[in-house]
Tab-separated table of all heavy atoms in Angstrom:
chain	number	residue	atom	x	y	z
A	110	SER	N	80.231	78.958	118.669
A	110	SER	CA	81.015	77.796	119.047
A	110	SER	C	82.176	77.562	118.083
A	110	SER	O	83.026	76.716	118.341
A	110	SER	CB	80.115	76.549	119.086
A	110	SER	OG	79.581	76.318	117.791
A	111	HIS	N	82.223	78.302	117.003
A	111	HIS	CA	83.273	78.145	116.003
A	111	HIS	C	83.745	79.515	115.545
A	111	HIS	O	83.038	80.515	115.708
A	111	HIS	CB	82.729	77.350	114.809
A	111	HIS	CG	81.557	78.031	114.150
A	111	HIS	ND1	80.295	78.002	114.696
A	111	HIS	CD2	81.477	78.776	113.040
A	111	HIS	CE1	79.464	78.691	113.931
A	111	HIS	NE2	80.154	79.186	112.926
A	112	ASP	N	84.934	79.553	114.960
A	112	ASP	CA	85.427	80.777	114.356
A	112	ASP	C	84.797	80.949	112.975
A	112	ASP	O	84.557	79.974	112.262
A	112	ASP	CB	86.945	80.741	114.200
A	112	ASP	CG	87.671	80.808	115.538
A	112	ASP	OD1	87.024	81.167	116.541
A	112	ASP	OD2	88.883	80.491	115.564
A	113	ILE	N	84.556	82.197	112.596
A	113	ILE	CA	84.050	82.492	111.268
A	113	ILE	C	85.241	82.861	110.401
A	113	ILE	O	86.011	83.759	110.741
A	113	ILE	CB	83.018	83.647	111.306
A	113	ILE	CG1	81.830	83.239	112.160
A	113	ILE	CG2	82.604	84.026	109.908
A	113	ILE	CD1	80.910	84.363	112.511
A	114	ARG	N	85.422	82.158	109.301
A	114	ARG	CA	86.524	82.427	108.385
A	114	ARG	C	85.945	83.065	107.128
A	114	ARG	O	85.197	82.441	106.399
A	114	ARG	CB	87.271	81.147	108.048
A	114	ARG	CG	87.918	80.524	109.265
A	114	ARG	CD	88.819	79.376	108.883
A	114	ARG	NE	89.602	78.940	110.004
A	114	ARG	CZ	90.744	79.491	110.402
A	114	ARG	NH1	91.233	80.508	109.750
A	114	ARG	NH2	91.393	79.019	111.441
A	115	TYR	N	86.323	84.323	106.891
A	115	TYR	CA	85.848	85.075	105.733
A	115	TYR	C	86.988	85.211	104.733
A	115	TYR	O	88.002	85.843	105.032
A	115	TYR	CB	85.342	86.456	106.166
A	115	TYR	CG	84.621	87.201	105.076
A	115	TYR	CD1	83.249	87.042	104.915
A	115	TYR	CD2	85.289	88.045	104.211
A	115	TYR	CE1	82.577	87.713	103.909
A	115	TYR	CE2	84.626	88.723	103.204
A	115	TYR	CZ	83.271	88.544	103.062
A	115	TYR	OH	82.595	89.196	102.051
A	116	PRO	N	86.871	84.613	103.532
A	116	PRO	CA	87.958	84.733	102.546
A	116	PRO	C	88.026	86.168	101.998
A	116	PRO	O	87.001	86.760	101.660
A	116	PRO	CB	87.564	83.735	101.456
A	116	PRO	CG	86.097	83.532	101.623
A	116	PRO	CD	85.784	83.770	103.069
A	117	ILE	N	89.226	86.705	101.934
A	117	ILE	CA	89.426	88.073	101.438
A	117	ILE	C	89.471	88.019	99.916
A	117	ILE	O	90.322	87.349	99.337
A	117	ILE	CB	90.722	88.674	102.006
A	117	ILE	CG1	90.655	88.717	103.528
A	117	ILE	CG2	90.937	90.075	101.439
A	117	ILE	CD1	91.933	89.146	104.200
A	118	PRO	N	88.554	88.702	99.221
A	118	PRO	CA	88.531	88.670	97.756
A	118	PRO	C	89.724	89.414	97.149
A	118	PRO	O	90.368	90.238	97.813
A	118	PRO	CB	87.229	89.369	97.390
A	118	PRO	CG	86.501	89.629	98.637
A	118	PRO	CD	87.448	89.446	99.766
A	119	ALA	N	89.987	89.142	95.878
A	119	ALA	CA	91.058	89.841	95.169
A	119	ALA	C	90.697	91.326	95.034
A	119	ALA	O	89.543	91.671	94.816
A	119	ALA	CB	91.247	89.230	93.789
A	120	GLY	N	91.667	92.181	95.175
A	120	GLY	CA	91.436	93.622	95.064
A	120	GLY	C	91.027	94.283	96.361
A	120	GLY	O	90.835	95.493	96.402
A	121	ILE	N	90.881	93.510	97.424
A	121	ILE	CA	90.485	94.046	98.723
A	121	ILE	C	91.603	93.754	99.722
A	121	ILE	O	92.173	92.669	99.736
A	121	ILE	CB	89.169	93.389	99.215
A	121	ILE	CG1	88.026	93.702	98.269
A	121	ILE	CG2	88.826	93.833	100.626
A	121	ILE	CD1	87.599	95.144	98.231
A	122	THR	N	91.903	94.751	100.558
A	122	THR	CA	92.885	94.541	101.627
A	122	THR	C	92.190	94.760	102.951
A	122	THR	O	91.387	95.679	103.098
A	122	THR	CB	94.084	95.497	101.513
A	122	THR	OG1	93.600	96.838	101.536
A	122	THR	CG2	94.851	95.263	100.235
A	123	MET	N	92.509	93.907	103.920
A	123	MET	CA	91.944	94.024	105.264
A	123	MET	C	93.089	94.083	106.259
A	123	MET	O	94.074	93.360	106.120
A	123	MET	CB	91.043	92.829	105.597
A	123	MET	CG	89.766	92.804	104.844
A	123	MET	SD	88.668	91.558	105.511
A	123	MET	CE	87.476	91.448	104.210
A	124	LYS	N	92.912	94.975	107.255
A	124	LYS	CA	93.895	95.097	108.318
A	124	LYS	C	93.169	95.073	109.653
A	124	LYS	O	92.065	95.603	109.785
A	124	LYS	CB	94.662	96.427	108.214
A	124	LYS	CG	95.564	96.532	107.005
A	124	LYS	CD	96.434	97.764	107.073
A	124	LYS	CE	95.581	99.016	107.048
A	124	LYS	NZ	96.336	100.259	106.965
A	125	CYS	N	93.813	94.459	110.622
A	125	CYS	CA	93.315	94.465	111.995
A	125	CYS	C	94.433	95.042	112.862
A	125	CYS	O	95.300	94.305	113.334
A	125	CYS	CB	92.944	93.059	112.461
A	125	CYS	SG	91.536	92.362	111.610
A	126	ASP	N	94.429	96.366	113.040
A	126	ASP	CA	95.463	97.004	113.873
A	126	ASP	C	95.311	96.574	115.314
A	126	ASP	O	96.288	96.358	116.012
A	126	ASP	CB	95.351	98.522	113.756
A	126	ASP	CG	95.651	99.000	112.347
A	126	ASP	OD1	96.424	98.322	111.651
A	126	ASP	OD2	95.115	100.048	111.949
A	127	LYS	N	94.082	96.494	115.777
A	127	LYS	CA	93.772	95.977	117.105
A	127	LYS	C	92.849	94.789	116.899
A	127	LYS	O	92.208	94.673	115.867
A	127	LYS	CB	93.046	97.049	117.942
A	127	LYS	CG	93.843	98.315	118.184
A	127	LYS	CD	93.094	99.259	119.087
A	127	LYS	CE	91.912	99.851	118.330
A	127	LYS	NZ	91.191	100.880	119.063
A	128	PRO	N	92.739	93.899	117.887
A	128	PRO	CA	91.827	92.766	117.728
A	128	PRO	C	90.362	93.187	117.634
A	128	PRO	O	89.516	92.396	117.234
A	128	PRO	CB	92.063	91.927	118.971
A	128	PRO	CG	93.351	92.364	119.518
A	128	PRO	CD	93.558	93.764	119.077
A	129	THR	N	90.052	94.437	117.993
A	129	THR	CA	88.659	94.890	117.976
A	129	THR	C	88.350	95.863	116.840
A	129	THR	O	87.316	96.519	116.865
A	129	THR	CB	88.303	95.555	119.314
A	129	THR	OG1	89.179	96.646	119.520
A	129	THR	CG2	88.420	94.574	120.444
A	130	SER	N	89.252	95.992	115.868
A	130	SER	CA	88.980	96.877	114.741
A	130	SER	C	89.392	96.220	113.434
A	130	SER	O	90.399	95.532	113.359
A	130	SER	CB	89.707	98.216	114.904
A	130	SER	OG	91.096	98.029	114.764
A	131	ILE	N	88.585	96.438	112.415
A	131	ILE	CA	88.836	95.897	111.085
A	131	ILE	C	88.779	97.065	110.114
A	131	ILE	O	87.860	97.878	110.157
A	131	ILE	CB	87.786	94.845	110.680
A	131	ILE	CG1	87.687	93.740	111.712
A	131	ILE	CG2	88.075	94.279	109.308
A	131	ILE	CD1	86.477	92.832	111.511
A	132	SER	N	89.775	97.146	109.214
A	132	SER	CA	89.793	98.152	108.182
A	132	SER	C	89.743	97.457	106.825
A	132	SER	O	90.606	96.632	106.514
A	132	SER	CB	91.067	99.001	108.309
A	132	SER	OG	91.110	99.958	107.279
A	133	ILE	N	88.738	97.783	106.021
A	133	ILE	CA	88.531	97.158	104.715
A	133	ILE	C	88.797	98.236	103.663
A	133	ILE	O	88.164	99.291	103.693
A	133	ILE	CB	87.100	96.625	104.581
A	133	ILE	CG1	86.800	95.645	105.715
A	133	ILE	CG2	86.897	95.961	103.237
A	133	ILE	CD1	85.336	95.344	105.875
A	134	SER	N	89.721	97.962	102.727
A	134	SER	CA	90.087	98.936	101.706
A	134	SER	C	90.058	98.300	100.334
A	134	SER	O	90.342	97.116	100.190
A	134	SER	CB	91.491	99.485	101.962
A	134	SER	OG	91.573	100.082	103.219
A	135	GLY	N	89.728	99.126	99.328
A	135	GLY	CA	89.724	98.648	97.962
A	135	GLY	C	89.350	99.756	97.002
A	135	GLY	O	88.995	100.865	97.418
A	136	ALA	N	89.409	99.468	95.719
A	136	ALA	CA	89.114	100.472	94.703
A	136	ALA	C	87.618	100.551	94.380
A	136	ALA	O	87.115	101.607	94.015
A	136	ALA	CB	89.884	100.158	93.413
A	137	ASP	N	86.888	99.446	94.536
A	137	ASP	CA	85.466	99.403	94.187
A	137	ASP	C	84.627	99.724	95.432
A	137	ASP	O	84.599	98.952	96.393
A	137	ASP	CB	85.125	98.023	93.658
A	137	ASP	CG	83.730	97.947	93.057
A	137	ASP	OD1	83.007	98.952	93.100
A	137	ASP	OD2	83.378	96.872	92.535
A	138	LYS	N	83.956	100.856	95.417
A	138	LYS	CA	83.183	101.300	96.581
A	138	LYS	C	82.058	100.337	96.914
A	138	LYS	O	81.798	100.041	98.079
A	138	LYS	CB	82.601	102.698	96.318
A	138	LYS	CG	81.892	103.284	97.515
A	138	LYS	CD	81.444	104.701	97.244
A	138	LYS	CE	80.864	105.325	98.490
A	138	LYS	NZ	80.487	106.727	98.287
A	139	GLN	N	81.390	99.808	95.907
A	139	GLN	CA	80.289	98.875	96.141
A	139	GLN	C	80.786	97.605	96.788
A	139	GLN	O	80.176	97.087	97.726
A	139	GLN	CB	79.582	98.567	94.818
A	139	GLN	CG	78.275	97.826	94.956
A	139	GLN	CD	78.422	96.325	95.068
A	139	GLN	OE1	79.369	95.741	94.540
A	139	GLN	NE2	77.510	95.693	95.757
A	140	GLN	N	81.926	97.084	96.338
A	140	GLN	CA	82.459	95.840	96.892
A	140	GLN	C	82.933	96.038	98.331
A	140	GLN	O	82.689	95.184	99.183
A	140	GLN	CB	83.612	95.332	96.014
A	140	GLN	CG	84.111	93.970	96.406
A	140	GLN	CD	85.245	93.483	95.530
A	140	GLN	OE1	85.926	94.278	94.885
A	140	GLN	NE2	85.460	92.182	95.527
A	141	VAL	N	83.567	97.154	98.615
A	141	VAL	CA	84.022	97.445	99.987
A	141	VAL	C	82.826	97.537	100.924
A	141	VAL	O	82.826	96.944	102.013
A	141	VAL	CB	84.865	98.748	100.026
A	141	VAL	CG1	85.110	99.201	101.449
A	141	VAL	CG2	86.186	98.547	99.304
A	142	GLY	N	81.776	98.242	100.522
A	142	GLY	CA	80.582	98.363	101.350
A	142	GLY	C	79.866	97.051	101.536
A	142	GLY	O	79.343	96.763	102.622
Side-chain angles (χ1 to χ4, degrees):
S110 62
H111 60 283
D112 291 345
I113 298 168
R114 297 188 170 276
Y115 190 89
I117 300 173
I121 298 292
T122 58
M123 290 190 194
K124 293 188 296 186
C125 292
D126 296 331
K127 298 184 289 185
T129 59
S130 69
I131 305 168
S132 178
I133 304 165
S134 302
D137 190 357
K138 186 175 185 177
Q139 191 275 331
Q140 188 180 21
V141 169

